[in-house]
Amino acid sequence: MTTVPRLSIGLPVHNGEEYLAESLDALLGQTYEDFELVISDNASTDRTQDICRTYAEQDPRIRYLRLPVNVGAAPNHNYVFTQCRGELFKWASHDDLYARDLLLRCVEALDERPELILAHSGQAVIDGDGRVKVPYEYGLATDSPSAPERFRSLLFEPGGDDFYGVMRADVLRRVKPHDSYHHADRTFVAEITLHGPFHQVPELLYFRRDHPTRAERANPSKRSRCVNLDPRRAGLLHPTPRLLAEYVWGFASAIRRAPLSPDDRRACYRHLASWMTSRVRPGVGERVEDRAPVVPTGLACSVDELVAGRGGRRP
């Protein structure tokens, strides 16, 4: 590629052969085409490398990078961002699916409203075969003009995959890179939302896959999830109390670093104090994946119709 693309997609992956081709088909079949797809292979030992090289040979928008050792999911996410060049950025997961218009609708929203720093869409949880299990009703107030209200919502309301939205890369460079303590993704998104409002495109365009080998399912304990994020978390120096303390400190540090007025900063600290002393709110700790599944015949949309490549797989 001789020109810098408007949008960069960073796809970190480790041993993702089972669903990787489907996700690549969905991304490469987007109606918005001015993007690069940077894949960072975290020393995979399955067919991930072969799949990535095959796709890279067929589409010049792909850049394939391979790390010689497994550095962990969090460092790999951070690394792939440093290799991207676009003014807009999106992380993509190797096992999720994306409707054809996802990128287009998010970029349009960011272009229409310069105050937005991130755009995402309606989403649903799908199973290993790509069938919708749980449509997700997004309830976070990340679109509020008030930074303390956005922060309060991230603290108290369940769910949300804003981490995988289309973001302004310059804002992402101003926040602390993704860490590897318990729920580090939550504090990461909280810091981003302190920089400006998000926007949800009112269409079901993102499908998050839940399956037994998904990182959170394969690593059920706090310790094992954190070691998956960064192998350096293994050992006696990183007991669970430390991982939880870093989680709380992550929120406090995000408030301290963010470009807030004194009044807004104090309001955010008050919300954090309230959250720390009240963890009995209904829905706290709820995972969207664990909600009761829907009856597929009752859905008004079809994943196969919305997502490119669902008619078959490439190698």
Side-chain angles (χ1 to χ4, degrees):
M1 298 179 67
T2 57
T3 60
V4 176
R6 178 91 190 281
L7 168 67
S8 293
I9 302 172
L11 195 158
V13 60
H14 173 71
N15 288 348
E17 65 176 4
E18 186 174 6
Y19 301 111
L20 178 58
E22 288 185 73
S23 293
L24 292 176
D25 283 336
L27 290 168
L28 296 174
Q30 292 288 303
T31 54
Y32 182 88
E33 298 181 338
D34 186 14
F35 67 84
E36 64 176 350
L37 174 56
V38 182
I39 304 172
S40 180
D41 179 358
N42 195 12
S44 294
T45 57
D46 62 0
R47 292 185 57 250
T48 292
Q49 179 174 192
D50 295 336
I51 295 169
C52 291
R53 292 194 183 281
T54 297
Y55 274 79
E57 290 172 0
Q58 298 172 359
D59 197 311
R61 293 175 295 178
I62 297 177
R63 281 195 289 136
Y64 172 66
L65 310 172
R66 180 175 171 83
L67 300 178
V69 297
N70 181 357
V71 298
N76 197 26
H77 275 76
N78 295 329
Y79 172 72
V80 77
F81 173 61
T82 67
Q83 301 305 302
C84 291
R85 305 172 293 166
E87 66 175 279
L88 302 176
F89 176 78
K90 171 182 170 51
W91 271 297
S93 177
H94 73 276
D95 48 6
D96 293 341
L97 294 177
Y98 314 89
R100 293 178 181 85
D101 288 338
L102 173 63
L103 298 182
L104 178 64
R105 295 289 183 258
C106 290
V107 172
E108 286 177 341
L110 292 171
D111 286 344
E112 291 171 5
R113 297 178 55 188
E115 78 278 11
L116 298 176
I117 62 169
L118 181 149
H120 59 141
S121 76
Q123 64 174 280
V125 177
I126 58 175
D127 63 16
D129 294 323
R131 294 186 296 262
V132 172
K133 291 174 55 180
V134 185
Y136 175 53
E137 193 71 31
Y138 188 84
L140 279 69
T142 52
D143 59 347
S144 171
S146 165
E149 175 58 20
R150 297 193 300 269
F151 183 75
R152 185 212 62 78
S153 179
L154 257 297
L155 285 172
F156 286 104
E157 302 298 334
D161 264 322
D162 317 88
F163 187 88
Y164 290 106
V166 177
M167 317 176 206
R168 300 194 191 276
D170 62 332
V171 173
L172 199 54
R173 294 187 185 97
R174 296 200 294 269
V175 304
K176 186 178 183 294
H178 191 288
D179 214 316
S180 54
Y181 48 78
H182 177 61
H183 280 339
D185 55 340
R186 195 75 171 178
T187 61
F188 183 75
V189 173
E191 181 166 358
I192 294 173
T193 199
L194 288 174
H195 285 255
F198 299 174
H199 172 73
Q200 184 184 40
V201 176
E203 299 176 51
L204 181 57
L205 301 174
Y206 173 44
F207 303 95
R208 193 178 74 213
R209 197 187 301 264
D210 185 35
H211 55 92
T213 58
R214 179 170 169 257
E216 190 169 356
R217 296 291 190 192
N219 300 279
S221 72
K222 295 180 179 64
R223 286 293 307 281
S224 62
R225 286 196 293 272
C226 292
V227 172
N228 177 69
L229 287 172
D230 191 333
R232 292 173 296 182
R233 289 287 184 179
L236 298 177
L237 293 177
H238 298 273
T240 299
R242 172 179 174 173
L243 301 174
L244 294 172
E246 287 188 63
Y247 175 39
V248 176
W249 180 247
F251 284 124
S253 299
I255 298 171
R256 176 176 52 82
R257 287 188 297 266
L260 301 171
S261 69
D263 287 345
D264 282 354
R265 200 178 309 277
R266 284 190 291 269
C268 288
Y269 281 129
R270 286 194 297 270
H271 290 318
L272 180 59
S274 176
W275 173 78
M276 290 173 62
T277 57
S278 176
R279 296 294 288 151
V280 295
R281 180 186 175 95
V284 167
E286 178 188 14
R287 296 196 307 183
V288 177
E289 297 91 333
D290 294 331
R291 293 177 178 173
V294 299
V295 179
T297 56
L299 295 173
C301 70
S302 166
V303 175
D304 291 346
E305 293 177 0
L306 292 173
V307 176
R310 290 293 293 168
R313 297 188 186 185
R314 291 191 288 180

